Structures are given as C-alpha cells and as structure tokens.
Amino acid sequence: MDTTKMKTVIVGGGFAGINLAQQLLKSSQNIHVTLVDRNNYNFFPPLLYQVATGFLDVSNISYPYRRLFRNQPNFTFQMGELLEIRPDQNTIELSTGELHYDNLIIATGTTSNYFGMQNIEKYSLPMKTIDDAIALKNTLLSRLEIASRTQDKAERKRLTTIVVAGGGPTGVEVAGMLSELRQNIFKKDYPELADLSFDIYLVDGMATLLTPMSEKSQAYTLKSLTNMGVQVKLNKRVTDFQGERVSFADGEVIETRNLIWAAGVTSQRFKGLPVESYGRGNRLLVDAFNKVQGEGNIYAIGDNCLQTTDPAFTGGHPQVAQVAIQQGQNLAKNLVATMNGGNQKPFTYHDKGSMAIIGRNKAVTDLPKPAIHMNGFIAWLMWLFVHLISLVNFRNKLKTAYNWVAAYLSKDQHLRMIVKSRTLQEEEADHWR
Ligand SMILES: Cc1cc2nc3c(=O)[nH]c(=O)nc-3n(C[C@H](O)[C@H](O)[C@H](O)COP(=O)(O)OP(=O)(O)OC[C@H]3O[C@@H](n4cnc5c(N)ncnc54)[C@H](O)[C@@H]3O)c2cc1C
C-alpha cells in the first residue's frame, strides 16, 4: 500500500459503504480505500424475502467485494468484524487483526431488534441477512416435510402455521409472498397436507400496516392482504415465543412453530466510542457532514447514523437505501473537497418516494412532490423496475429479470432445495426421538 495516500477505512459494504468507496476511487488518486466487512459479499436486502421464499437464488442478489473492486489499485478488502475503535491511536480492532486509518467511516447498518426478548431471539426466524434468508427457507421447508409425515394433528397445524411479526415493508412482502406460495405451490407440492389451512398471520403493535406510507397505501395493503387470505392483526404486541406458541400482550396465543421476526432493527455499539456518541436506536450522532459527534476523523453513514441537521428531517432520516446511498456519495465528495482545500456540503436528503410489493400485480407507491399515490399493476411494475435497476451489476439484473419472468409465467419457481445446516439437522433429529 502507498503510504503517501490518505488511508480511508470503511467498515460495512452495504449501500452506504459501497457508494462511498466507488465515488472515492473514481474521484481521487490520492486516497487508498480499505473496505472491511464481516461477509465477503455485498447483498441487496430489499429482495432478501424472495431468497427466503425460494423465488430468487442467493447469487441473484449478492456479489463478492473482491470481484466488484477488481483492478482497483487503490483498494484493499479485509474480511472481519469490527470489535473496537481506538480514536486516540487512529486504529480499529477487527476479529481478523488491527488496521490503521487517517479517516474511519462506520457504515455497519443495523441488526434485528428483539427488544430484549431472549426467547424470541432464540426461537424466531429473523430476516436481516443472507444467512437469515437461507435459514428461513430451509427451516420452513423442513417443517413442511416433518408435517407431511406427522400423525399428531395439533403438531401438523403448528408446523404449517406462520406468524409474521412486523407490518413494515418486509413483513408485508413476506406475508404476501407466503400467501402466494400457499395458493400456487404448497398444496400442490404437499398433497399429504391438503386438509390443512396453512394459516398466515401478519401482526403489528401499531394500528396500521406500512406506518410511514400514505393512508391510501396502508388501506390498499390491508385490503389486498386480507383478500389474499392473510390474517392481519393490528395493535398486537408479541411478548413471548418459546418455539411452539406466540403470546401477545392482550393474552391471545397463536399455536405455531414459525415466527418470522421483521419487527424492528437496532444499530450496534462499538467499544471505544463514548456512550454520548449514540442516539436513538444506538445510531451514531453525526453533524451535517456525517462526522461523529466529538470525533475529528470518524464518520458514520447510512442506517447506523442519526443526523438531525437536515431541515426536512429534524427527527433523523428514515432507515432506507436511498439515504445510505446519498450519504455515501455526499461524504465522498466532502472528503475529496477537504483534501483539495475546497468547501464541504452539508447533507440534505432527496426523497424519491417509497414503495412496497404485496403480491402478483399488487404494490403501493408514494411519490413525495407532488404527493402522488399509486397502487395495483402500475405500482407493481414500478417496484419491479426500480428494484431491478438497483441491483449491483448487470449479471445480477439479468439473472433476476429472467427468474421473475419465469416465475410470473409459470406461477412457480424451483429453488426449494433444503440445504441442511447443523441446527436444522439437530431439529429434525429431535422430531425423530
Ligand atoms: C429485509 C429488508 C428489506 C428492505 N427493503 C427495503 C426497501 O425495499 N427499500 C429501501 O429503501 N430499504 C429497504 N431496506 C432497508 C435498507 O436495506 C437499508 O436502509 C440499507 O441497507 C442501509 O444501508 P447501510 O449501508 O447503512 O447498511 P447495510 O446495507 O445493512 O450494510 C451494512 C454492512 O455492514 C456489514 N457489517 C455490519 N456489522 C459489521 C461489523 N461489526 N463488522 C464488519 N462489518 C459489519 C454488513 O455485513 C453489511 O454488509 C430493507 C431492509 C431489510 C433488512
């Protein structure tokens, strides 16, 4: 590594980290970028639920960092988990060694939030990472296999009932997709289970689904999911799940082995930064230029930062991909400008709108200025187009487009192989004991 170059270490290669790295490498020859991530690949969270339900393959929505940045002389990748930051020494401690930085950027996103409920963390199925999506698919399919050979009626029902917790876009999308699987695939693939209803519940502690979206989007989503046979329960707070039944604050209980957890996220705290650096949801408090409060050369971008200086978002930005992308690009320009003696530009978010898909031909879109609401087929086409063009490279766009067309025409997909993890093998063995 050329020691005369500005050593910029980015921890986290999601939307924020990747956009920052790409923009920096494009804009200056005097910066060396080291990207650190706990995985060796970038992935696209908005389509995780399609991997979890067997509609897309992992390779459609992920890409290795070393391939993405191949032939970039000013780039290094290090796989590792950030453990500690030492601001006084300008170093960070990773699970795989120590790194020195001139500028450090933390872009580690969020993790699932279980709100301190340990049973839920232990027994539910989260939807946050590729590992989660693979585990979810394997577990649900394995449980259908177990149900198909189980004589115990109550257990068959528990194995084939699914509760999705969290009425945000992820929960809505998973519940909608599961409902389509039930209609088009489960009953055909599992004739032994034809007498079962495969109940799907979508539950949320709030009074509406898709809380940040328009009332029209919320109402359309509720009606569509209900028509698709999803049992939506609002104002319902999950309090416990020990693997066999979900308990709610109002005393209701749903018998199930499958609780999909999409009910909240939180950021991570890292050893070495004072407790005052963190705000709501463990998000790092940053100034208008994404510099971490009280630090000289440490920045935070994307989901893991809380910025209240943007006049239109004084409560902080929503934790969505566009904020992360735009913050990454703005910070790159500011770091290069500082090196060249130019002025920095405070971050302001350009809101391009929000959307959620519910099922085949059904989606909702809210555009901000002028405020326009769309639903149904047009919104669905928009959702497909926006998500397709947002994938990281041409190969992934092509493979995903092909899979979508095939799935749309055939109402089926063939990615339902159960790849057994050690945990799954243990669970199956338990059922035979
Ligand atoms: C299922 C799902 C669906 C979503 N759908 C949408 C959608 O439709 N539209 C939308 O706008 N947003 C959506 N989001 C939110 C969107 O994905 C986030 O806002 C966005 O990913 C934030 O980007 P980021 O770069 O801040 O973090 P991330 O994309 O989460 O990237 C963080 C990176 O940091 C790495 N990392 C984390 N901790 C460490 C550590 N300690 N050490 C090293 N590396 C670490 C991770 O491996 C990851 O690569 C969705 C999120 C999920 C989970």
Side-chain angles (χ1 to χ4, degrees):
M1 190 193 302
D2 184 344
T3 50
T4 60
K5 295 189 194 293
M6 171 81 76
K7 280 196 260 3
T8 301
V9 174
I10 304 171
V11 186
F15 287 107
I18 285 292
N19 275 277
L20 171 63
Q22 286 174 331
Q23 186 80 36
L24 281 177
L25 293 168
K26 205 164 62 182
S27 316
S28 174
Q29 293 301 312
N30 298 320
I31 295 178
H32 186 96
V33 172
T34 300
L35 177 67
V36 175
D37 201 290
R38 53 159 69 123
N39 298 312
N40 74 337
Y41 55 82
N42 165 268
F43 73 100
F44 189 71
L47 292 179
L48 265 184
Y49 82 101
Q50 297 208 2
V51 172
T53 48
F55 266 76
L56 287 179
D57 183 54
V58 171
S59 66
N60 298 170
I61 68 158
S62 55
Y63 206 70
Y65 293 119
R66 288 181 185 274
R67 177 70 183 83
L68 195 60
F69 290 97
R70 192 192 276 180
N71 301 330
Q72 295 274 5
N74 293 330
F75 177 84
T76 309
F77 174 71
Q78 180 157 344
M79 189 166 154
E81 175 108 18
L82 175 63
L83 301 176
E84 182 174 356
I85 301 165
R86 302 190 190 104
D88 49 334
Q89 297 168 23
N90 283 355
T91 59
I92 53 172
E93 185 67 35
L94 305 175
S95 55
T96 51
E98 191 187 66
L99 278 181
H100 180 266
Y101 60 81
D102 295 320
N103 283 319
L104 172 66
I105 294 92
I106 304 169
T108 46
T110 54
T111 57
S112 292
N113 190 356
Y114 301 94
F115 306 99
M117 296 182 283
Q118 285 169 6
N119 283 337
I120 293 178
E121 180 165 1
K122 186 167 174 195
Y123 295 107
S124 72
L125 298 162
M127 261 285 292
K128 195 69 185 77
T129 64
I130 292 272
D131 294 342
D132 291 342
I134 295 172
L136 201 156
K137 180 173 88 167
N138 289 331
T139 306
L140 289 185
L141 290 173
S142 294
R143 287 178 182 167
L144 292 183
E145 290 299 332
I146 296 169
S148 71
R149 57 179 190 251
T150 301
Q151 300 305 319
D152 179 342
K153 271 191 166 176
E155 180 63 354
R156 272 158 58 91
K157 176 105 179 122
R158 272 195 292 272
L159 286 161
T160 54
T161 296
I162 303 173
V163 175
V164 181
T170 304
V172 164
E173 288 164 4
V174 178
M177 187 59 109
L178 287 170
S179 149
E180 298 200 335
L181 282 174
R182 172 177 61 185
Q183 189 184 336
N184 299 321
I185 294 174
F186 286 171
K187 296 226 168 178
K188 289 182 195 158
D189 276 14
Y190 297 88
E192 306 93 320
L193 304 176
D195 58 318
L196 292 169
S197 52
F198 289 94
D199 291 339
I200 299 163
Y201 296 89
L202 176 61
V203 303
D204 196 287
M206 309 287 279
T208 56
L209 295 173
L210 300 178
T211 307
M213 292 193 75
S214 68
E215 282 182 17
K216 282 184 182 162
S217 288
Q218 294 168 355
Y220 179 85
T221 304
L222 178 60
K223 193 165 159 228
S224 302
L225 284 175
T226 308
N227 289 342
M228 290 162 74
V230 175
Q231 302 180 49
V232 180
K233 288 174 174 276
L234 298 169
N235 295 310
K236 279 269 176 195
R237 198 165 53 78
V238 177
T239 52
D240 200 12
F241 176 61
Q242 295 184 25
E244 292 192 347
R245 63 192 59 85
V246 179
S247 307
F248 296 93
D250 61 5
E252 189 181 337
V253 164
I254 297 176
E255 296 278 330
T256 179
R257 286 213 173 255
N258 311 301
L259 172 63
I260 298 177
W261 193 251
V265 293
T266 182
S267 292
Q268 304 161 68
R269 288 196 178 202
F270 299 107
K271 201 171 156 194
L273 290 182
V275 68
E276 300 79 47
S277 305
Y278 297 92
R280 194 181 70 237
N282 286 338
R283 291 162 80 178
L284 281 163
L285 296 166
V286 294
D287 67 12
F289 308 97
N290 284 86
K291 191 178 281 187
V292 174
Q293 200 170 279
E295 303 295 338
N297 55 352
I298 304 179
Y299 301 81
I301 49 175
D303 275 7
N304 73 179
C305 80
L306 185 62
Q307 188 174 51
T308 54
T309 46
D310 188 344
F313 297 90
T314 50
H317 297 106
Q319 287 168 297
V320 293
Q322 270 303 322
V323 172
I325 292 168
Q326 293 175 30
Q327 281 184 335
Q329 292 170 347
N330 190 62
L331 179 58
K333 287 181 194 147
N334 282 341
L335 290 176
V336 173
T338 309
M339 276 179 71
N340 298 335
N343 291 329
Q344 295 196 32
K345 192 169 159 260
F347 179 73
T348 49
Y349 172 46
H350 172 49
D351 184 1
K352 296 182 177 172
S354 47
M355 45 179 51
I357 191 166
I358 304 157
R360 196 181 173 82
N361 301 339
K362 292 185 199 73
V364 284
T365 298
D366 290 333
L367 300 177
K369 285 177 192 159
I372 296 174
H373 160 79
M374 279 180 272
N375 61 42
F377 185 66
I378 298 291
W380 179 76
L381 278 183
M382 278 179 74
W383 187 97
L384 294 182
F385 177 73
V386 167
H387 285 75
L388 202 58
I389 59 163
S390 306
L391 284 164
V392 76
N393 71 344
F394 182 69
R395 196 164 161 268
N396 286 18
K397 293 185 215 290
L398 203 66
K399 285 196 294 186
T400 300
Y402 171 79
N403 274 332
W404 280 350
V405 171
Y408 188 76
L409 295 177
S410 66
K411 293 191 179 174
D412 201 350
Q413 184 53 284
H414 309 105
L415 298 167
R416 293 192 292 283
M417 287 68 78
I418 300 170
V419 184
K420 290 184 187 176
S421 65
R422 190 183 290 256
T423 334
L424 216 59
Q425 286 175 23
E426 282 164 8
E427 181 173 310
E428 279 218 311
D430 273 352
H431 264 271
W432 289 115
R433 262 179 219 133

